[in-house]
Amino acid sequence: MSGSFLQTRAMATIQDRAAGAIMGAMIGDALGLGCHWYYNLDQLKREYGEWIDDYTTAKPGRYHYGCKAGDVSQSGQLFQYLLETLNEKGEYSEEDFCTRLDGFLATLDGTREGGRYTQKDVCDVWKNRVVLKKPWGECASPFGDTTDSCVRAVALAARYHNDLPTLVKKIGSNSILQYQDRQVQVHSIAFGLTVACLISGMEYSKISSHLMNLIAEGKIPFTSAMALDRDSEENTPEPDSLLWSGYAAKAVANLNLRIEPARDAPQMYGLSCAFYMLMPGAYYLAARFPDNFETAVLTAVNSGGQNLARASLTGGMVGAITGLSSFPDRFIKGLTDGDKWVEVAKKIAQDGAKK
């Protein structure tokens, strides 16, 4: 591991890293808004130049047209609703979060263009909750496979990084509100655990083995080959989702696998919206640039496709390493209500520091 990474990690306090995780996820989302969903990478370069280095505005006829540079997407809005709950309640209150979701859904009309661009899984939730009047807990999308709950896991990790069993429960409960797919739920939990370890100061390459040890000790609810008798009585998932960060770290360390430029790496995994395409790209970029938030998040943005979610995921991890204090000022100043969200992030980080 590079000396610069160890120095960066040592300089940031736990609270700074927790706030950095929150703001990193939000900034990544906003950086991808204007240049979102360009699958033709030559077109992306023609319209935005060789390297996007700041917030952008969507071109006429493109997704999110009408939003201004520095705004967040609808996924970012859902993230902010969770932040508001954590900030005001001091903990995750599902009742409060669902009340905020009800207010949000009331502003939509069930179409993709009813508010800011709406993903199909959110349309499914809208129909179940608003039209069919189903209770929360029965409104999740049956086929949703996007990363909204993975991103929201960053906020929960900032609050509960000191209590991993509680963190697992909170992320799982939050994910089920939007997704029926168990794999989305499990990978949201795995991502949140990864971010929690980074906030706590753990070296990126050691996270997977650490989490596997916790499974073997029965401290987090995943299946362990070393405890099959115990797990035979529980409905626990396989631990493969916890291994991505470790594999990414090994790939980056192997110079024979180095991809240049780094922004081309996500093409190996796919540029579309499904979590199984986005997550490995984000893990790779976090492993590639662990000591440089700006480079990591902008590389994710310039990778194209579903760059908004990829940048949000990458920003959440690398922000948890470098801390909020390392961020360029322009990323805060250019973010809509940036100063407000910094204060919210610091409050949640302060609450998370309590045992």
Side-chain angles (χ1 to χ4, degrees):
M1 187 61 63
S2 69
S4 58
F5 169 80
L6 295 174
Q7 183 180 22
T8 298
R9 185 160 53 90
M11 290 173 60
T13 66
I14 287 182
Q15 289 188 40
D16 188 39
R17 291 196 293 269
I22 291 171
M23 293 306 299
M26 191 184 305
I27 288 168
D29 180 287
L31 284 169
L33 184 80
C35 54
H36 196 195
W37 280 319
Y38 279 81
Y39 292 96
N40 183 326
L41 301 185
D42 290 333
Q43 181 185 5
L44 177 64
K45 293 177 183 179
R46 286 196 302 270
E47 296 192 7
Y48 288 97
E50 185 63 29
W51 184 256
I52 299 163
D53 63 0
D54 211 337
Y55 301 109
T56 58
T57 302
K59 307 294 184 182
R62 295 291 305 182
Y63 303 99
H64 314 295
Y65 179 66
C67 293
K68 67 179 186 296
D71 284 347
V72 296
S73 71
Q74 191 175 90
S75 297
Q77 288 178 308
L78 295 174
F79 181 68
Q80 290 176 343
Y81 289 135
L82 177 56
L83 294 179
E84 290 173 346
T85 289
L86 292 169
N87 179 51
E88 294 183 17
K89 299 298 182 180
E91 61 182 3
Y92 177 53
S93 164
E94 192 154 287
E95 179 180 4
D96 183 82
F97 181 62
C98 288
T99 297
R100 296 177 191 276
L101 290 184
D102 281 331
F104 161 71
L105 293 176
T107 68
L108 306 181
D109 62 10
T111 69
R112 295 296 185 95
E113 303 293 343
R116 298 187 188 184
Y117 186 81
T118 305
Q119 298 175 153
K120 184 182 181 301
D121 48 76
V122 177
C123 291
D124 291 342
V125 173
W126 178 88
K127 180 179 178 180
N128 288 332
R129 181 64 176 160
V130 176
V131 178
L132 300 180
K133 309 295 184 184
K134 292 184 178 181
W136 283 110
E138 299 179 17
C139 296
S141 171
F143 299 110
D145 59 3
T146 55
T147 57
D148 283 5
S149 63
C150 297
V151 172
R152 293 198 298 272
V154 173
L156 293 169
R159 175 59 183 84
Y160 294 104
H161 61 87
N162 275 328
D163 184 355
L164 297 188
T166 296
L167 175 62
V168 168
K169 293 177 182 178
K170 301 295 186 183
I171 295 174
S173 178
N174 183 265
S175 177
I176 290 171
L177 297 174
Q178 187 171 349
Y179 303 99
Q180 289 186 28
D181 190 319
R182 296 292 290 176
Q183 286 300 308
V184 176
Q185 297 164 23
V186 169
H187 281 280
S188 297
I189 292 169
F191 186 71
L193 287 169
T194 299
V195 173
C197 289
L198 292 172
I199 290 171
S200 298
M202 185 168 294
E203 191 173 313
Y204 191 88
S205 63
K206 296 180 179 179
I207 292 174
S208 289
S209 59
H210 172 70
L211 293 175
M212 295 297 283
N213 287 335
L214 292 182
I215 294 169
E217 296 168 6
K219 294 182 179 179
I220 52 176
F222 285 78
T223 296
S224 170
M226 293 177 282
L228 290 178
D229 290 341
R230 183 194 76 217
D231 293 327
S232 66
E233 299 178 358
E234 302 176 10
N235 183 20
T236 55
E238 293 287 351
D240 300 62
S241 57
L242 303 173
L243 302 176
W244 256 343
S245 62
Y247 284 130
K250 289 180 181 178
V252 167
N254 185 343
L255 296 182
N256 292 324
L257 297 178
R258 176 83 39 137
I259 296 174
E260 296 293 355
R263 66 180 175 189
D264 289 342
Q267 294 181 50
M268 293 190 302
Y269 311 112
L271 300 181
S272 296
C273 301
F275 76 92
Y276 48 79
M277 293 189 182
L278 289 168
M279 302 300 290
Y283 281 120
Y284 176 85
L285 292 177
R288 183 77 181 265
F289 305 109
D291 57 349
N292 193 319
F293 174 81
E294 180 177 5
T295 299
V297 75
L298 289 179
T299 302
V301 168
N302 283 275
S303 297
Q306 176 43 310
N307 55 352
L308 183 152
R310 186 185 309 112
S312 188
L313 296 165
T314 303
M317 284 188 284
V318 181
I321 297 170
T322 68
L324 177 60
S325 59
S326 75
F327 290 13
D329 289 341
R330 73 180 189 279
F331 286 168
I332 303 299
K333 293 177 180 178
L335 180 69
T336 301
D337 297 324
D339 289 339
K340 165 195 167 181
W341 291 114
V342 165
E343 292 307 309
V344 169
K346 288 182 176 179
K347 169 61 165 53
I348 294 169
Q350 183 178 32
D351 290 339
K354 302 172 183 175
K355 294 293 184 181

